[in-house]
Amino acid sequence: MRKPQSREVLTTARRPPLAIAVLLLAPGLSAGCGQADAPPPNPGAPPGQEKKIDTRLLEKGAEALQDLSPVRAIDHYLDGFHVMKDDPDHHMEAHHYCKGVNEEFTQCVIFDGNTRDANIIGVEHILSEPMFERLPEDEKRRWHPHNYEILSGQLTLPGVPAVAEKAALRKKMNSYGKTWHLWDTGHAGRPAAHDLPVGAPLLAWSYNRDGEIPPGLLEARDRRAGIDTAEKRRERADLAAIANPQRGVDDLRSRFPNATRAPEGVRAK
């Protein structure tokens, strides 16, 4: 039987690529600096009997002996916001834990917080613009655009210095995401719909104009995380030069009649 590597060796050998980039771009800064806890909105979910001691021991033993490569391949954390495409009154902050498979394809697990008790509530896959354009026309309607999320400053990499954050998000410009939410554990202004992941999956969408996100949701995130979205917007303004028109920018426009402008570079295709 293969001798398991020590946790210290695993940590060093599998240091996420983004963490390495952060250390190179911003020496002297920790990749985790400035990240604030975001507990799930409904910490009591799901119901069930508390873990027994033998269950915890079995889990720890399995963790030490098993190869958990798919999970340890997660290499970056994105914090952003979603609105459900067929239910535009459903808004929430979404914590994405992602693996960059290659330069054009990323896959993410979505949680309702960033603490140990956070719940898995969905999945997102991210495609580059060229890969998106190769999809069948009927499939393209399920993929939301990302340029507003980046240029507005709403999408962040918590704990990553601004120079590395901008470099990482530059690579996501003109990309598209397909996101399914599987469990409503509580969203803006509303308690959990159910304490278990029941019901049909919901297709999530992106915001594409100022005023679409409900008042207070963005501000609450910024207060908790100690960041200034308006400042990030200014810092990223030059990325508009590489922004292409995107499909999906106007898909929810009629549902947000009070929405106003968008940053330069956010245009409908």
Side-chain angles (χ1 to χ4, degrees):
M1 184 177 71
R2 178 174 60 88
K3 183 179 180 179
Q5 293 176 282
S6 72
R7 180 58 48 82
E8 184 176 351
V9 171
L10 284 170
T11 301
T12 303
R14 297 175 182 174
R15 180 180 291 276
L18 182 59
I20 295 173
V22 167
L23 295 174
L24 291 173
L25 287 168
L29 289 177
S30 165
C33 63
Q35 180 173 317
D37 283 352
N42 183 19
Q49 189 180 58
E50 186 177 354
K51 286 184 182 180
K52 296 180 179 179
I53 293 177
D54 61 336
T55 300
R56 294 180 186 274
L57 289 173
L58 288 168
E59 289 175 345
K60 288 297 182 183
E63 182 184 1
L65 295 172
Q66 290 185 308
D67 183 354
L68 302 179
S69 292
V71 178
R72 292 192 175 116
I74 296 294
D75 55 31
H76 60 287
Y77 162 34
L78 294 166
D79 182 31
F81 302 91
H82 289 162
V83 57
M84 302 305 112
K85 190 172 188 183
D86 295 325
D87 182 13
D89 291 327
H90 184 154
H91 309 262
M92 66 175 302
E93 185 177 352
H95 302 265
H96 308 60
Y97 287 83
C98 305
K99 175 175 74 171
V101 178
N102 55 47
E103 284 291 308
E104 298 191 79
F105 182 60
T106 299
Q107 46 194 0
C108 309
V109 182
I110 301 175
F111 289 79
D112 60 357
N114 65 11
T115 54
R116 289 183 63 87
D117 56 347
N119 300 292
I120 296 174
I121 59 170
V123 294
E124 177 166 357
H125 291 87
I126 299 172
L127 296 180
S128 68
E129 181 180 38
M131 292 183 74
F132 170 80
E133 291 299 346
R134 294 198 293 269
L135 296 175
E137 288 299 314
D138 182 60
E139 173 64 19
K140 289 176 180 175
R141 64 185 178 84
R142 300 183 180 94
W143 294 76
H144 62 265
H146 284 149
N147 284 353
Y148 176 84
E149 293 187 89
I150 297 169
L151 293 171
S152 68
Q154 290 184 8
L155 187 62
T156 68
L157 279 81
V160 172
V163 62
E165 179 183 66
K166 183 176 178 180
L169 292 177
R170 182 186 181 91
K171 291 178 174 289
K172 293 289 191 289
M173 286 294 296
N174 302 313
S175 67
Y176 291 83
K178 182 180 183 180
T179 304
W180 294 102
H181 277 242
L182 310 172
W183 186 8
D184 180 6
T185 60
H187 59 277
R190 300 187 184 181
H194 201 284
D195 56 8
L196 290 172
V198 299
L202 296 176
L203 182 67
W205 211 247
S206 54
Y207 299 117
N208 288 287
R209 284 178 179 78
D210 299 344
E212 292 184 351
I213 191 169
L217 184 58
L218 178 63
E219 291 80 359
R221 191 280 301 271
D222 284 5
R223 283 195 303 272
R224 184 197 74 239
I227 64 174
D228 184 343
T229 292
E231 178 60 26
K232 290 184 179 294
R233 181 173 180 149
R234 290 188 290 270
E235 291 171 352
R236 301 174 188 176
D238 61 323
L239 296 181
I242 62 171
N244 296 328
Q246 291 198 290
R247 297 180 186 230
V249 168
D250 286 339
D251 281 20
L252 294 181
R253 188 170 188 177
S254 64
R255 304 300 297 267
F256 298 110
N258 296 323
T260 56
R261 64 184 181 91
E264 182 182 351
V266 178
R267 294 166 290 162
K269 185 172 184 177

